[in-house]
Amino acid sequence: MKRVLTLSLVSLALTGCSLVPQSDYQPRERSSAGVSTAPTRTSVPSSNRRVTMQPALAMRSSDAQCLSQLSEAGARFDALPDRYQDQGCSTLNTVQMHALQGDSGQLDVSNLGPVTCPVSAAFAGWARFGADRAARQIFGQRLASIQTMGSYSCRNVAGTSRRSAHASAAAIDIGGFVLADGRRISVQSGWNGSAQEREFLRVVQRSACRRFKTVLGPDYNAAHRDHFHVEGVIDGNSYCR
């Protein structure tokens, strides 16, 4: 009798395990001070692409610490549920940033999708201490917003079969900056624009190189003529071009 009971328990335990969560599972968002904790309903796509989501397991301490640091930096954001996409793409430990903190007020961000929390934290620090302060020093006014060209995208590095950092929500493309008086400095026109624009864009690029693992701009290749690509979090040396 004892042997039968033991085998039954083992069978039940194995049945309850799943390496790939079911696509209709509704995860609970990772909680942290100042961020949303309500469950999120996600419909199953009608296309053939399969979306699976990680079960609501206990959050790793490093993830919780990152969310807390982002909140303490004055960012407004929502923590997002983990999702696995087909074809090697995923959005794990990501947030949706709505606004950041400048030296003297809110700093808006546009066109952002999911971004990993570590990259979001680096972006928040760069936005305030790199971009906003450069605007004050060079143009004599605060930065009002950073205009991005997106973050997560399930795609390869152009011309290769290797997945881009965008495919894991670990990169952001930045197209321009708007000052408090409404003036816009775009990477495309400002890189070789006025003396102030050229100085500002090179200062903010250099400051990004101290926070991100990879920073690519107009001097890298023609594909980056209109934006800065910032990727990963610096862990030693960085590639900056």
Side-chain angles (χ1 to χ4, degrees):
M1 181 68 179
K2 182 181 297 185
R3 176 179 176 81
V4 172
L5 179 59
T6 301
L7 290 174
S8 298
L9 290 175
V10 171
S11 176
L12 179 62
L14 291 174
T15 303
C17 293
S18 176
L19 294 178
V20 180
Q22 295 299 314
S23 60
D24 60 352
Y25 180 82
Q26 303 301 326
R28 181 171 298 274
E29 291 184 349
R30 292 168 287 115
S31 61
S32 178
V35 300
S36 171
T37 59
T40 300
R41 292 190 59 81
T42 304
S43 59
V44 178
S46 58
S47 66
N48 292 329
R49 188 188 343 179
R50 183 182 61 193
V51 179
T52 57
M53 289 169 282
Q54 179 171 295
L57 301 176
M59 194 191 320
R60 294 184 306 176
S61 60
S62 59
D63 295 350
Q65 183 179 14
C66 181
L67 292 175
S68 178
Q69 290 173 344
L70 192 56
S71 182
E72 289 171 1
R76 288 199 301 106
F77 65 94
D78 293 310
L80 301 176
D82 290 345
R83 288 188 174 90
Y84 296 88
Q85 311 286 350
D86 269 352
Q87 305 168 342
C89 299
S90 63
T91 53
L92 308 179
N93 186 26
T94 60
V95 304
Q96 175 71 60
M97 289 186 285
H98 303 297
L100 304 174
Q101 181 64 42
D103 273 346
S104 61
Q106 179 175 289
L107 181 59
D108 294 330
V109 289
S110 64
N111 200 39
L112 273 180
V115 181
T116 64
C117 185
V119 172
S120 296
F123 188 78
W126 168 77
R128 178 173 185 177
F129 301 112
D132 186 31
R133 292 190 178 178
R136 293 170 183 276
Q137 177 183 352
I138 296 167
F139 296 107
Q141 56 183 300
R142 72 177 185 86
L143 193 64
S145 69
I146 298 176
Q147 298 179 324
T148 83
M149 298 169 67
S151 51
Y152 172 75
S153 177
C154 186
R155 60 180 174 82
N156 292 343
V157 175
T160 75
S161 59
R162 179 170 57 88
R163 279 301 187 200
S164 165
H166 288 287
S168 56
I172 300 173
D173 289 338
I174 302 152
F177 306 83
V178 179
L179 303 177
D181 66 357
R183 178 180 178 184
R184 182 175 185 269
I185 298 95
S186 74
V187 175
Q188 183 169 19
S189 63
W191 190 252
N192 294 310
S194 69
Q196 281 186 317
E197 290 173 332
R198 293 197 306 270
E199 181 184 6
F200 172 75
L201 291 173
R202 284 159 176 77
V203 167
V204 298
Q205 185 188 32
R206 287 195 299 269
S207 65
C209 294
R210 292 192 288 270
R211 294 179 182 270
F212 299 98
K213 186 173 184 178
T214 301
V215 179
L216 307 176
D219 284 344
Y220 179 62
N221 62 16
H224 294 81
R225 65 187 180 281
D226 60 352
H227 69 279
F228 293 135
H229 168 94
V230 297
E231 170 188 329
V233 178
I234 194 166
D235 57 0
N237 296 326
S238 66
Y239 183 83
C240 184
R241 178 73 185 276

